[in-house]
Amino acid sequence: MATTMTRKQVRHYNLPGHAHELTFSCYHKRPFLAKDRTRQWLVQAMDQARRKREFDLLAFVIMPEHVHLIVQPRGNDYDVAWYLKSIKQSVSKKAGNWLKAHYPDQHEVLCNAAGQFCFWQPGGGYDRNIKTPVVLNKMIAYIHHNPVRRGLVQRAADWKWSSAGWYENETGVLAMDALPG
């Protein structure tokens, strides 16, 4: 008896005026984002995607094996999936090329049955619509606290790969856009 695996589908509710808390993970929850090089690729991809796809980036945290983003579309006609695709494809391509050039034997290990390099967990991750400023502020605090809960730093603002430092003193690896309202 053959079994088939079904891929979990995320439903994006692209509703005008809503911010989105997005979470996505590395393939099999491996710590592919543990190196500064890969984190910097992700920061660059987030910055490019927000310009190209017309999203404001309100908050983020990059953990070793997953990412949290809070984004706000600038227009009424948008698709969160476009934004995610822009980010994830860019990072996956850079990581795959780097791995192939430096560790070709490892590159093959991280390919699926079709021979495609796997950096991200398949599927759309998690998408939560944020409708109110109160919930938005709670979600920003929640994602910023991830490195503290994990024991990576004592204070959220000390985690370089997050927007927490920017909110505290407007310094960090990536400037945030203004919060709505």
Side-chain angles (χ1 to χ4, degrees):
M1 179 170 161
T3 60
T4 58
M5 288 187 55
T6 57
R7 198 158 126 184
K8 190 166 113 178
Q9 294 294 318
V10 170
R11 177 106 171 123
H12 298 289
Y13 294 96
N14 300 312
L15 301 173
H18 287 197
H20 295 263
E21 190 269 321
L22 307 171
T23 302
F24 48 99
S25 300
C26 296
Y27 189 64
H28 291 189
K29 297 191 179 185
R30 294 181 179 173
F32 293 154
L33 297 167
K35 300 278 188 208
D36 285 353
R37 170 191 60 245
T38 315
R39 292 173 179 152
Q40 189 59 47
W41 292 337
L42 182 57
V43 166
Q44 291 167 352
M46 290 185 309
D47 194 33
Q48 289 172 350
R50 75 173 160 179
R51 295 173 206 279
K52 180 180 179 183
R53 299 295 181 186
E54 299 183 352
F55 276 76
D56 286 335
L57 182 59
L58 306 180
F60 75 94
V61 66
I62 302 170
M63 299 297 288
E65 70 293 316
H66 72 281
V67 180
H68 292 282
L69 305 173
I70 298 180
V71 298
Q72 173 82 45
R74 290 187 201 125
N76 291 336
D77 185 26
Y78 70 93
D79 190 341
V80 170
W82 300 337
Y83 181 76
L84 285 171
K85 184 177 180 180
S86 293
I87 293 171
K88 292 166 82 174
Q89 276 187 344
S90 172
V91 174
S92 183
K93 183 178 259 189
K94 285 179 182 175
N97 289 340
W98 189 91
L99 197 58
K100 192 180 282 187
H102 294 86
Y103 299 99
D105 55 322
Q106 290 297 311
H107 182 272
E108 298 306 316
V109 171
L110 297 173
C111 288
N112 63 19
Q116 297 169 318
F117 175 68
C118 295
F119 187 92
W120 301 109
Q121 189 65 22
Y126 178 77
D127 178 359
R128 174 183 179 180
N129 286 51
I130 302 173
K131 304 172 194 173
T132 68
V134 171
V135 173
L136 176 61
N137 288 325
K138 285 181 181 181
M139 291 308 303
I140 290 172
Y142 171 82
I143 71 167
H144 283 165
H145 224 69
N146 264 246
V148 175
R149 282 191 299 273
R150 181 75 70 82
L152 299 172
V153 289
Q154 293 288 320
R155 295 178 332 113
D158 293 338
W159 186 247
K160 176 181 176 181
W161 302 103
S162 150
S163 54
W166 188 89
Y167 276 98
E168 187 170 290
N169 56 23
E170 294 193 7
T171 62
V173 294
L174 187 59
M176 296 295 95
D177 297 302
L179 290 174

